[in-house]
């Protein structure tokens, strides 16, 4: 639908009203994120992209000027719109050329290597990429591989899986996802347990001692109003005890969502759920050096994808590739330590599997970037997937050899009824705070580490040949 055929003035005005701060300012980058879906829906594939963006900038500036709102243009994140439009166009091509019912061998090589072959149910791995990956695995030195107590080499077993592979898979990035049941065909239960124990040897961060005292004082009742009233009487100075203040406010806000009818969720979309239900994750980083930001270009991913660019000689310099844009990134300056993805439905297993695979690559790119500043065996990258009212916590490490291991550490659920309020909220909030402490500990580890000239042997993430 063309943007000229719709009067967007009222919609833009409402959005600016929601975003403006006390000084009547709105950041253009915040508007792009908040108005993303409507901007994309207005695109009609006519004209050039510069004119499309220019039309939106002019329109928003005009409305802001009429409302006496100062539109701050310091940070331009229009790449979010460009990437979404590119994904939509790719999906449109796929819809016109469905391939899920075809065997990989029946698809022509030229078709398999194009973007039109991408599907939510799997992206075929073309022969040239597979040959490149097999060559990568064959280059691994046996003396540096991860040898299990049974005598089996993890990398050699992954190589066996790769030889049987028809679709892109985390093994292409030398990632072993312990939640992937495909590995049951290649490792015994004891071997998988050994991999898991070796990969998850990081020390667990303790909770503040006053957490338990505060939680024990909460009334043992299913009366959500009584719980809210009790919490409301607790006076905690956020400047003196940030952790306990966050715990109190997170519990009180959750109770209030039941009182006001926001819970259980009904017609809320993904952004609504993230903004209201999972605000406790974002707010856990208030007062921390770490930042929790939405739809931010992943610097580590961008560096990883462009590290082989060369100065022009006989051939032109390759174009710079855009890095991945996770739903949320956790970082401090150049150090990216965690990632999160969000979805509306708890029971969308396809999205869960795809998000798990997506964040594995992003987490590995973060690990590779941090390995320049700290020995890789001291590092762990944290991941979260929020699906409706459930949240899964993941961790990626490089315990031994060339392999990165990712594993789901735990799954927690937001309450859907006041009867289970305390039962669900207490362990959930404890884990969110532990996760925040773990990330802060990782930041301190990176910044305190001595500079080491030795290079990590972790291979790069998989990139399709052009």
């Amino acid at each position: 639908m063309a943007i000229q055929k719709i009067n967007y003035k009222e919609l833009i005005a409402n959005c600016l009203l929601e975003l403006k701060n006390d000084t009547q300012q709105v950041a253009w980058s915040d508007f792009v994120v908040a108005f993303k879906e409507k901007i994309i829906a207005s695109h009609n594939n006519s004209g050039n992209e510069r004119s499309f963006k220019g039309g939106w900038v002019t329109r928003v500036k005009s409305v802001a000027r009429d409302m006496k709102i100062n539109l701050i243009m310091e940070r331009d994140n229009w790449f979010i719109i460009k990437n979404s439009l590119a994904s939509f166009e790719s999906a449109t091509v796929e819809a016109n050329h469905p391939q899920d019912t075809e065997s990989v061998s029946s698809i022509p090589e030229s078709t398999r290597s194009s973007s039109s072959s991408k599907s939510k149910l799997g992206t075929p791995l073309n022969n040239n990429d597979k040959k490149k990956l097999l060559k990568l695995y064959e280059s691994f030195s046996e003396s540096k591989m991860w040898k299990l107590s049974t005598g089996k080499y993890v990398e050699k077993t992954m190589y066996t899986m790769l030889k049987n592979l028809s679709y892109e898979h985390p093994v292409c990035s030398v990632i072993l996802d312990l939640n992937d049941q495909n590995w049951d065909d290649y490792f015994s239960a004891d071997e998988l347990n050994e991999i898991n124990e070796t990969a998850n040897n990081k020390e667990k961060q303790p909770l503040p001692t006053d957490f338990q005292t505060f939680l024990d004082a909460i009334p043992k009742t299913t009366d959500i109003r009584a719980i809210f009233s009790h919490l409301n009487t607790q006076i905690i100075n956020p400047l003196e005890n940030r952790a306990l203040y966050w715990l109190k406010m997170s519990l009180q806000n959750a109770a209030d969502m039941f009182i006001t009818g926001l819970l259980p969720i009904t017609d809320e979309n993904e952004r609504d759920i993230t903004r209201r239900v999972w605000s406790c994750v974002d707010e856990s980083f208030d007062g921390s050096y770490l930042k929790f930001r939405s739809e931010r270009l992943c610097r580590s991913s961008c560096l990883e994808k462009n590290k082989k660019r060369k100065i022009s000689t006989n051939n032109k310099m390759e174009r710079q590739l855009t890095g991945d844009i996770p739903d949320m990134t956790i970082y401090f300056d150049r150090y990216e330590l965690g990632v999160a993805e969000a979805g509306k439905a708890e029971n969308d297993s396809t999205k869960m599997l795809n998000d798990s695979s997506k964040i594995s690559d992003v987490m590995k790119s973060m690990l590779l970037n941090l390995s320049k500043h700290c020995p890789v065996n001291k590092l762990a990258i944290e991941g979260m997937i929020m699906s409706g009212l459930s949240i899964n916590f993941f961790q990626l490490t490089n315990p031994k050899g060339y392999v990165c291991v990712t594993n789901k550490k735990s799954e927690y659920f937001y309450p859907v009824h006041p009867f289970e309020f305390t039962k669900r909220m207490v362990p959930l909030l404890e884990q969110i705070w532990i996760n925040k402490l773990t990330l802060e500990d990782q930041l301190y580890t990176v910044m305190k580490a001595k500079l080491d000239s030795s290079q990590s042997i972790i291979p790069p993430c998989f990139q399709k040949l052009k």
Side-chain angles (χ1 to χ4, degrees):
M1 186 177 292
I3 188 170
Q4 292 85 355
K5 295 181 181 179
I6 295 181
N7 180 8
Y8 277 88
K9 185 174 181 178
E10 184 177 349
L11 295 173
I12 293 171
N14 289 337
C15 184
L16 292 175
L17 282 173
E18 288 185 10
L19 294 174
K20 72 182 179 70
N21 58 23
D22 294 339
T23 58
Q24 295 294 105
Q25 292 183 333
V26 173
W28 164 254
S29 57
D30 290 341
F31 177 84
V32 169
V33 172
F35 220 69
K36 171 184 166 185
E37 302 302 330
K38 294 182 180 67
I39 295 174
I40 293 169
S42 74
H43 192 261
N44 62 1
N45 296 314
S46 64
N48 61 53
E49 294 305 314
R50 183 173 295 181
S51 298
F52 178 63
K53 176 185 176 182
W56 271 104
V57 172
T58 301
R59 186 167 281 100
V60 177
K61 280 185 174 180
S62 174
V63 176
R65 187 167 52 251
D66 292 344
M67 298 173 68
K68 294 182 171 50
I69 289 176
N70 185 16
L71 191 65
I72 307 299
M73 302 294 294
E74 289 178 357
R75 178 170 168 256
D76 188 1
N77 58 348
W78 190 258
F79 60 81
I80 293 173
I81 304 300
K82 290 176 65 177
N83 289 344
S84 295
L85 288 172
S87 298
F88 177 78
E89 289 165 5
S90 174
T92 303
V93 173
E94 179 192 345
N96 294 329
H97 301 86
Q99 296 177 356
D100 287 340
T101 58
E102 299 180 71
S103 67
V104 177
S105 60
S106 68
I107 303 173
E109 181 71 26
S110 60
T111 305
R112 276 186 274 149
S113 61
S114 71
S115 62
S116 65
S117 64
K118 190 171 182 179
S119 163
K120 287 185 178 180
L121 301 181
T123 304
L125 182 66
N126 70 51
N127 288 334
N128 290 333
D129 281 324
K130 188 168 183 177
K131 287 177 183 176
K132 180 185 76 169
L133 290 168
L134 290 170
K135 188 174 180 181
L136 170 67
Y137 271 81
E138 289 161 2
S139 71
F140 295 164
S141 170
E142 184 178 293
S143 63
K144 296 179 180 178
M145 290 182 184
W146 182 358
K147 188 177 181 180
L148 300 176
S149 60
T150 58
K152 183 182 289 185
Y153 289 96
V154 175
E155 289 88 344
K156 289 183 179 181
T157 307
M158 295 173 73
Y159 177 72
T160 301
M161 182 192 202
L162 178 61
K163 288 194 291 186
N164 299 328
L165 210 60
S166 298
Y167 288 85
E168 290 181 16
H169 183 274
V171 76
C172 297
S173 293
V174 201
I175 296 174
L176 198 161
D177 183 352
L178 286 171
N179 308 296
D180 180 5
Q181 296 181 21
N182 285 305
W183 291 116
D184 294 345
D185 297 331
Y186 295 89
F187 294 101
S188 69
D190 288 341
E191 288 169 338
L192 288 171
N193 284 335
E194 181 180 344
I195 293 170
N196 182 40
E197 289 174 4
T198 307
N200 292 284
N201 62 354
K202 304 297 180 186
E203 185 178 345
K204 184 177 179 180
Q205 297 297 310
L207 285 166
T209 54
D210 49 7
F211 261 40
Q212 195 58 52
T213 304
F214 182 87
L215 293 170
D216 288 342
I218 296 175
K220 306 299 188 289
T221 177
T222 57
D223 183 349
I224 200 71
R225 293 179 182 272
I227 293 174
F228 180 90
S229 297
H230 166 78
L231 293 167
N232 201 38
T233 62
Q234 306 304 303
I235 308 301
I236 301 169
N237 187 336
L239 299 178
E240 296 177 358
N241 195 332
R242 191 78 218 176
L244 207 58
Y245 177 77
W246 168 85
L247 180 63
K248 174 211 166 176
M249 294 306 299
S250 297
L251 286 165
Q252 193 169 349
N253 289 340
D256 191 48
M257 282 190 279
F258 279 107
I259 293 171
T260 57
L262 184 65
L263 289 175
I265 58 175
T266 52
D267 61 344
E268 289 81 7
N269 61 29
E270 177 183 311
R271 188 179 295 279
D272 294 330
I273 296 169
T274 305
R275 178 174 54 87
R276 294 299 304 274
V277 174
W278 297 114
S279 61
C280 54
V281 178
D282 185 352
E283 290 161 0
S284 70
F285 293 97
D286 290 354
S288 171
Y289 285 114
L290 291 170
K291 296 179 181 179
F292 186 89
R293 295 291 184 265
S294 300
E295 295 182 316
R296 172 185 177 273
L297 180 68
C298 177
R299 180 179 183 272
S300 302
S301 172
C302 189
L303 290 172
E304 181 67 13
K305 290 184 177 183
N306 291 286
K307 67 181 182 181
K308 291 187 178 180
R309 294 181 76 210
K310 296 179 289 187
I311 298 173
S312 302
T313 52
N314 296 331
N315 297 315
K316 238 184 354 179
M317 183 187 299
E318 293 181 356
R319 285 182 176 274
Q320 179 166 319
L321 300 175
T322 302
D324 293 301
I325 306 175
D327 287 344
M328 279 78 71
T329 303
I330 305 160
Y331 70 100
F332 173 73
D333 203 272
R334 67 168 69 95
Y335 306 120
E336 294 173 323
L337 300 122
V339 61
E341 288 289 323
K344 178 178 180 179
E346 286 181 27
N347 58 354
D348 189 346
S349 60
T350 301
K351 179 169 173 56
M352 171 62 78
L353 290 169
N354 284 332
D355 280 352
S356 176
S357 179
K358 173 185 174 182
I359 69 169
S360 292
D361 267 7
V362 175
M363 290 164 75
K364 180 172 178 179
S365 69
M366 291 179 174
L367 187 72
L368 286 164
N369 185 47
L370 291 179
S371 68
K372 304 171 189 174
H373 311 284
C374 178
V376 73
N377 62 343
K378 295 183 178 181
L379 299 170
I381 305 297
E382 303 297 321
M384 290 175 275
I385 296 180
M386 293 165 272
S387 304
L389 295 181
S390 75
I391 183 169
N392 287 275
F393 293 87
F394 297 81
Q395 190 175 71
L396 181 137
T397 59
N398 169 237
K400 290 185 179 182
Y402 299 89
V403 182
C404 285
V405 176
T406 181
N407 191 18
K408 182 170 74 174
K409 296 194 297 183
S410 50
E411 181 176 17
Y412 294 86
F413 296 89
Y414 219 85
V416 294
H417 194 281
F419 285 175
E420 61 172 2
F421 182 81
T422 306
K423 163 190 165 183
R424 294 292 187 190
M425 287 303 301
V426 170
L428 168 65
L429 293 177
E430 287 179 342
Q431 180 56 42
I432 290 172
W433 194 258
I434 287 172
N435 199 60
K436 176 251 188 186
L437 294 176
T438 301
L439 284 156
E440 287 182 334
D441 183 65
Q442 283 292 289
L443 175 62
Y444 300 146
T445 298
V446 171
M447 293 197 295
K448 290 188 299 182
K450 293 182 179 179
L451 294 177
D452 188 352
S453 59
S454 60
Q455 295 294 313
S456 166
I457 64 170
I458 305 175
C461 295
F462 168 63
Q463 289 188 54
K464 294 178 72 71
L465 290 171
K466 298 178 182 177

